[in-house]
Amino acid sequence: MKLFTKNIALACVLGLMTNVALAQDDTALDLDSLLKQLEQGQFAQNKQNAQREKEFAQKRSEQDAMLLQAKQTRNAALSTSEKLETQFEENEFKLADLNEAMNKRLGSLKELFGVLQQVSGDTKSKFQNSIISAQIPGRAEFLDNLAQSMGSTSKLASIAEIERVWFEMQREMTESGKVTKFTTDVIEAGGNKVSKEVLRVGPFALTADGKYLDYNGTTGSVAELVRQPAGRYGDSAMALQASSGELVEFGLDPTGGSILKLLVQAPSLKERVEQGGTVGYIILAVGAVGLLIALWRFIVLGIEGAKVNRQLKSTTFKSNNALGRVMKARDDYPEADTEALELHLTEAILGEVPKLGRFLQIIKVMSVVAPLMGLLGTVSGMINTFQAITLFGTGDPKLMAGGISTALVTTVLGLVVAIPMTLLYAMLNTRSKNIVYILQEQAAGVIAERAEAQSPNLQSSKTKA
């Protein structure tokens, strides 16, 4: 009722405001006309209010009827719920009795189905990681569905399902002893998916185009290894794929790819050299220069040795070889005594020695400097390793092992350069000295002949003899 009264008062005010607005618009109306209009508006408003009260009373009766109907519906639902609960409890007891009866009837079959469920789960895990599934997909899904259905429901496996489990296990063993080819989609190292002919070697390896492949059991995809094993492994894979039945040597990974992944992670020779950094490249540059010098000196000394050997067999001395140039000193000084000739020959030999031993000391210095540079790179690498340990700690052994391995690469490079340089220096020095010994021997013979020619006592003794 309070709400109804407020509505009436509001209507009166609105009517009054309307009439006032009309009075403002029409200035010709006087106060009596205004009062008359107000009375008429109040009468109309009272009539509208009475109509509204009547409608409200009618709606209230309708609401009471709706409330009564809702209560009846609720009571009916409660009654139905009680009946369903009672029926559910009865069904639970019946189901328990039926399960007990089924377990008694199953007997030893229950243990059989339990073992079948366990075998299905274990075999599913093996099939999922087996590369044979790349050729025969869908085996793991069947076993997974069988194990889950037997574990989550009371449904028993059918004879066909039991026979298929046995068949899949037998097929796995049979395919493990075969080397077969099949066509499937292969994800290349660049990311492109291409249909290729894949060679499967039992359960051990997958290859295509001479490259090793990896099978992902989760996604069922076959992809090329980003890093391929180097050397004979790649060659054997290519030879096996090109084989038409003959025996080919091929490396097998019985661990299912673990050893292959470790083999792939091993750095190649190029990567090892790159680990040496700037010092390693300098060492290799020094070794390359030393090797070029050594090869050049080998050629020069070889040519010079051949010329000297030819000169030994000839009586005509030529200036295109060291022996000929030394022997010309005898012809240049025919009247010189023994001591003077010896000095001239010694001078000629000393002039040939630097030519024969040219750049040999540089090779010797390189053989000494190379390991020292390697030691320098090792010390620098160890400093960087200890700095990394200071920043990141010793929690990651790979960080320490990788840093130490990188540091030792320079030492290896230094030794790799120093050892051949030492051997080359020794060989070149020996060749040079052999030629010098020939020169000294021939010079000594010339001096002896000159001494015999100039000694009268020796000539007379020869005559008497």
Side-chain angles (χ1 to χ4, degrees):
M1 292 299 293
K2 290 181 179 181
L3 179 61
F4 181 71
T5 305
K6 289 181 179 180
N7 291 333
I8 293 174
L10 180 60
C12 293
V13 173
L14 291 174
L16 180 60
M17 292 176 64
T18 303
N19 293 330
V20 172
L22 292 173
Q24 289 177 354
D25 294 335
D26 191 5
T27 56
L29 297 177
D30 54 5
L31 294 177
D32 293 335
S33 299
L34 182 60
L35 179 60
K36 186 177 180 179
Q37 290 179 0
L38 182 59
E39 289 176 352
Q40 292 176 355
Q42 186 175 5
F43 174 77
Q45 187 66 37
N46 291 334
K47 188 177 180 180
Q48 292 180 0
N49 291 337
Q51 182 68 24
R52 290 174 181 171
E53 289 178 357
K54 185 178 179 181
E55 292 178 356
F56 180 77
Q58 291 178 354
K59 290 182 178 180
R60 184 173 182 180
S61 61
E62 293 177 0
Q63 292 176 354
D64 291 338
M66 292 173 64
L67 178 61
L68 179 60
Q69 184 180 0
K71 289 181 179 180
Q72 292 175 355
T73 304
R74 182 197 63 181
N75 294 333
L78 291 174
S79 177
T80 304
S81 177
E82 291 177 357
K83 291 180 181 180
L84 292 176
E85 289 180 357
T86 304
Q87 186 178 0
F88 178 78
E89 293 177 357
E90 292 176 355
N91 292 336
E92 285 287 331
F93 288 117
K94 291 180 181 180
L95 185 61
D97 295 338
L98 293 174
N99 285 331
E100 184 178 358
M102 184 185 67
N103 292 332
K104 289 181 180 180
R105 291 182 179 181
L106 283 175
S108 58
L109 288 178
K110 184 177 181 181
E111 182 178 356
L112 171 63
F113 287 120
V115 173
L116 179 63
Q117 180 183 358
Q118 181 180 0
V119 170
S120 299
D122 296 341
T123 309
K124 171 252 178 182
S125 301
K126 182 178 180 180
F127 283 1
Q128 187 174 8
N129 298 322
S130 176
I131 64 174
I132 300 176
S133 297
Q135 181 181 359
I136 311 173
R139 303 181 303 161
E141 287 77 3
F142 161 72
L143 295 174
D144 187 26
N145 295 333
L146 178 61
Q148 290 183 1
S149 63
M150 293 181 64
S152 59
T153 64
S154 59
K155 179 183 177 182
L156 300 178
S158 63
I159 296 178
E161 291 174 336
I162 297 174
E163 289 179 347
R164 184 174 177 184
V165 172
W166 171 84
F167 172 76
E168 294 295 348
M169 296 176 65
Q170 180 64 33
R171 183 163 63 169
E172 176 74 12
M173 290 186 290
T174 304
E175 293 295 331
S176 297
K178 293 182 179 180
V179 178
T180 60
K181 295 181 180 180
F182 63 97
T183 303
T184 186
D185 292 335
V186 178
I187 301 175
E188 296 181 340
N192 299 324
K193 181 180 287 188
V194 181
S195 180
K196 292 185 178 181
E197 184 181 54
V198 177
L199 177 68
R200 177 179 60 82
V201 183
F204 304 109
L206 289 174
T207 62
D209 298 335
K211 297 181 180 180
Y212 285 81
L213 308 179
D214 179 47
Y215 174 70
N216 190 335
T218 304
T219 59
S221 60
V222 179
E224 287 184 2
L225 293 176
V226 179
R227 289 173 57 91
Q228 293 289 329
R232 60 188 180 92
Y233 300 103
D235 297 337
S236 63
M238 185 67 74
L240 181 62
Q241 193 161 8
S243 173
S244 57
E246 62 272 12
L247 294 178
V248 177
E249 293 185 359
F250 185 79
L252 297 180
D253 183 5
T255 62
S258 300
I259 297 178
L260 179 60
K261 291 180 180 178
L262 293 176
L263 180 65
V264 168
Q265 291 178 1
S268 61
L269 179 61
K270 180 181 178 181
E271 292 172 341
R272 284 291 189 190
V273 173
E274 290 176 352
Q275 288 178 352
T278 304
V279 177
Y281 286 119
I282 294 175
I283 294 174
L284 292 178
V286 170
V289 173
L291 181 61
L292 291 176
I293 295 175
L295 292 176
W296 174 54
R297 294 310 301 170
F298 263 114
I299 295 173
V300 171
L301 292 177
I303 295 174
E304 188 65 26
K307 291 180 179 179
V308 168
N309 291 331
R310 286 195 297 269
Q311 183 63 65
L312 288 174
K313 300 176 182 179
S314 176
T315 55
T316 304
F317 301 115
K318 300 179 180 180
S319 59
N320 62 347
N321 63 90
L323 181 59
R325 290 190 292 269
V326 171
M327 291 295 102
K328 276 193 173 184
R330 182 188 65 177
D331 298 336
D332 294 340
Y333 305 98
E335 302 298 332
D337 56 6
T338 304
E339 294 180 357
L341 181 60
E342 181 179 0
L343 293 175
H344 288 301
L345 292 174
T346 302
E347 179 184 6
I349 293 173
L350 291 177
E352 297 296 333
V353 169
K355 298 178 182 178
L356 297 175
R358 184 178 298 174
F359 294 113
L360 295 185
Q361 291 299 321
I362 294 178
I363 298 176
K364 184 177 181 181
V365 170
M366 289 180 176
S367 66
V368 177
V369 170
L372 294 178
M373 294 179 65
L375 181 61
L376 173 62
T378 299
V379 173
S380 301
M382 293 300 294
I383 291 173
N384 295 332
T385 301
F386 285 115
Q387 288 178 349
I389 293 174
T390 303
L391 294 175
F392 304 106
T394 58
D396 188 2
K398 290 185 178 180
L399 179 64
M400 298 176 58
I404 295 173
S405 176
T406 302
L408 294 177
V409 167
T410 55
T411 300
V412 174
L413 292 176
L415 294 176
V416 167
V417 171
I419 294 173
M421 288 296 103
T422 303
L423 296 176
L424 291 173
Y425 170 75
M427 296 171 65
L428 291 171
N429 190 41
T430 300
R431 285 197 174 191
S432 175
K433 287 185 177 180
N434 288 337
I435 296 176
V436 174
Y437 291 156
I438 293 175
L439 300 181
Q440 292 176 347
E441 180 185 6
Q442 295 299 316
V446 170
I447 294 172
E449 290 178 358
R450 181 65 59 87
E452 290 178 354
Q454 294 180 356
S455 175
N457 295 329
L458 186 60
Q459 290 288 339
S460 61
S461 62
K462 284 185 177 181
T463 304
K464 294 179 180 180

